[in-house]
């Protein structure tokens, strides 16, 4: 269970705020000095810059008994050509993954493939990806972004879920609206991934990290398991996972657990050894800035780890499983 002290809460707030700054992001991406320095810290959570890096990690983890989910990282793309390029890259990823991994999923932000420009563009790209994924036996998992996009993302998912059953959706326990959203989502066939929620949101929209979110998280899990709906319990919270195990949910046939690459690998190993179906979420690409900020904000002691990783990049050279 993570409870921030005052300094950590402040650090988390600052990190989540700068995560949203397009100017800082562009500065980091374009700086020949800052990019490699911060990338050394990002490498703890991102498999590398190329699809080959991600597939190497995916093969390694699959051989070790893990399921995998892959993301070509990026979000809030406001250039049509870049959205098309992202969609083309995802099509390649779907093909590669479908050829190599049984049970693999591909995850993505709808704002990476056009939502920030035009929902119609995102829809047409999603249709192409869903068709390709369907042929390859791959599941697509739509990530959930800031609350200003929740409605659009759910609307698009609901439209697509009637056409393709191989698309799933992510829901954030911290949002006040999520219990009601779940009622609709349970009537659709796709897998539901339950997360706490990574974005900084105002109090009228979401609860801050703490016991209230954990309680809501558990309620969402309980409603899904009662409905025997396919879910992915996506958390690194050891206490919450213990409760979920004690309640007997972790081994249900339609339940899987999911964790981000590089976070709590020891806990991942323990769960896998107990026979829990565990998926590791792998990211790759050069647009890792927001992702890194979120991983630091979730666990501010990571700032010290990041400093050490920048000073000695060999610390993150090995796959930590
Ligand atoms: P919490 O943050 O309470 O952490 C519990 C414990 O886990 C901590 O005490 C610490 O020990 C450890 N821990 C957590 N984060 C850590 C970190 N970064 N480094 C080191 N240790 C850490 N969010 C979102 O808004 N939209 C989305 O689509 C997704 N997608 C997604 C997919 C998957 C597979 C996962 C696992 C998570 C997401 N998230 C997400 C992120 C999610 O919302 C949340 O921010 C993180 O999972 C951290 O929350 P925890 O549930 O781990 O609990």
């Amino acid at each position: 269970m993570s409870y921030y002290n005052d300094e950590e809460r402040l650090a988390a707030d600052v990190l989540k705020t700068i995560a949203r700054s397009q100017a800082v992001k562009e500065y980091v991406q374009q700086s020949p000095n800052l990019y490699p320095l911060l990338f050394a810290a990002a490498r703890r959570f991102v498999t590398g810059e190329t699809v080959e890096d991600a597939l190497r990690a995916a093969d390694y983890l699959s051989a070790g008994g893990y399921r995998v989910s892959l993301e070509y990282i990026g979000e809030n793309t406001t250039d049509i050509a870049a959205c098309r390029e992202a969609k083309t890259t995802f099509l390649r990823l779907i093909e590669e993954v479908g050829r190599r991994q049984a049970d693999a999923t591909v995850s993505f932000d709808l704002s990476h493939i056009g939502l920030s420009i035009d929902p119609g563009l995102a829809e047409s790209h999603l249709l192409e990806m869903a068709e390709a994924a369907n042929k390859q036996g791959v599941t697509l998992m739509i990530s959930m972004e800031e609350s200003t996009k929740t409605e659009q993302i759910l609307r698009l998912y609901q439209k697509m879920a009637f056409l393709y059953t191989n698309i799933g959706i992510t829901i954030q326990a911290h949002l006040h609206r999520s219990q009601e959203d779940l009622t609709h989502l349970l009537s659709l066939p796709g897998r539901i991934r339950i997360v706490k929620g990574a974005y900084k949101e105002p109090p009228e929209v979401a609860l801050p990290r703490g016991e209230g979110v954990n309680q809501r998280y558990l309620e969402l899990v309980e409603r899904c398991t009662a409905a025997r709906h396919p879910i992915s319990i996506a958390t690194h919270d050891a206490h919450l996972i213990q409760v979920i195990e004690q309640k007997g949910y972790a081994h249900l046939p339609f339940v899987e657990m999911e964790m981000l690459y590089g976070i709590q690998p020891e806990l991942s190993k323990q769960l896998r050894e107990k026979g829990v179906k565990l998926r590791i979420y792998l990211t790759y690409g050069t647009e890792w800035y927001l992702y890194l900020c979120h991983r630091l904000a979730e666990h501010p002691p990571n700032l010290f780890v990041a400093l050490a990783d920048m000073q000695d990049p060999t610390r993150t050279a090995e796959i930590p499983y």
Side-chain angles (χ1 to χ4, degrees), residues 166-209:
N166 63 322
I167 305 184
I169 187 74
T170 309
I171 186 169
Q172 297 160 329
H174 74 165
L175 291 191
H176 304 321
R177 58 175 291 164
S178 288
Q179 286 283 9
E180 205 177 317
D181 288 337
L182 185 67
T183 305
H184 302 297
L185 295 178
L186 283 174
S187 66
L188 301 168
R191 182 174 289 276
I192 300 170
R193 175 195 282 143
I194 306 171
V195 302
K196 287 191 185 177
Y199 295 86
K200 182 172 157 67
E201 302 287 359
E204 60 276 18
V205 169
L207 286 178
R209 197 57 61 88

Side-chain angles (χ1 to χ4, degrees), residues 47 70 151 238 261 288 295:
T47 60
L70 288 98
E151 191 60 38
Y261 174 83
W288 40 260
R295 304 297 78 84

Side-chain angles (χ1 to χ4, degrees), residues 31 45 70 142 186-187 194 237 256 260 267:
S31 161
F45 312 111
L70 288 98
I142 299 174
L186 283 174
S187 66
I194 306 171
D237 187 329
E256 66 175 24
L260 301 178
L267 182 57

Side-chain angles (χ1 to χ4, degrees), residues 17-84:
T17 304
I18 64 165
R20 304 305 322 152
S21 165
Q22 195 60 23
V24 178
K25 177 181 167 179
E26 278 168 18
Y27 184 73
V28 170
Q29 299 283 150
Q30 287 157 18
S31 161
N33 298 322
L34 262 186
Y35 180 96
L37 188 66
L38 290 177
F39 184 54
R43 274 304 297 272
R44 183 163 293 275
F45 312 111
V46 175
T47 60
E49 291 172 300
T50 66
V51 68
E52 286 76 24
D53 294 323
L55 292 171
R56 197 175 315 115
D59 288 343
Y60 178 88
L61 288 165
S62 296
Y66 297 96
R67 298 175 178 191
V68 290
S69 190
L70 288 98
E71 180 187 3
Y72 168 52
I73 206 163
E75 84 297 316
N76 294 331
T77 310
T78 50
D79 174 62
I80 293 186
C83 292
R84 279 205 203 102

Side-chain angles (χ1 to χ4, degrees), residues 185-241:
L185 295 178
L186 283 174
S187 66
L188 301 168
R191 182 174 289 276
I192 300 170
R193 175 195 282 143
I194 306 171
V195 302
K196 287 191 185 177
Y199 295 86
K200 182 172 157 67
E201 302 287 359
E204 60 276 18
V205 169
L207 286 178
R209 197 57 61 88
E211 197 43 54
V213 175
N214 295 351
Q215 192 49 46
R216 280 191 183 170
Y217 192 103
L218 213 50
E219 283 164 18
L220 294 174
V221 170
E222 281 171 347
R223 286 183 60 198
C224 291
T225 51
R228 301 189 68 76
H229 196 94
I231 50 167
S232 186
I233 300 177
T235 180
H236 320 94
D237 187 329
H239 176 71
L240 203 49
I241 291 172

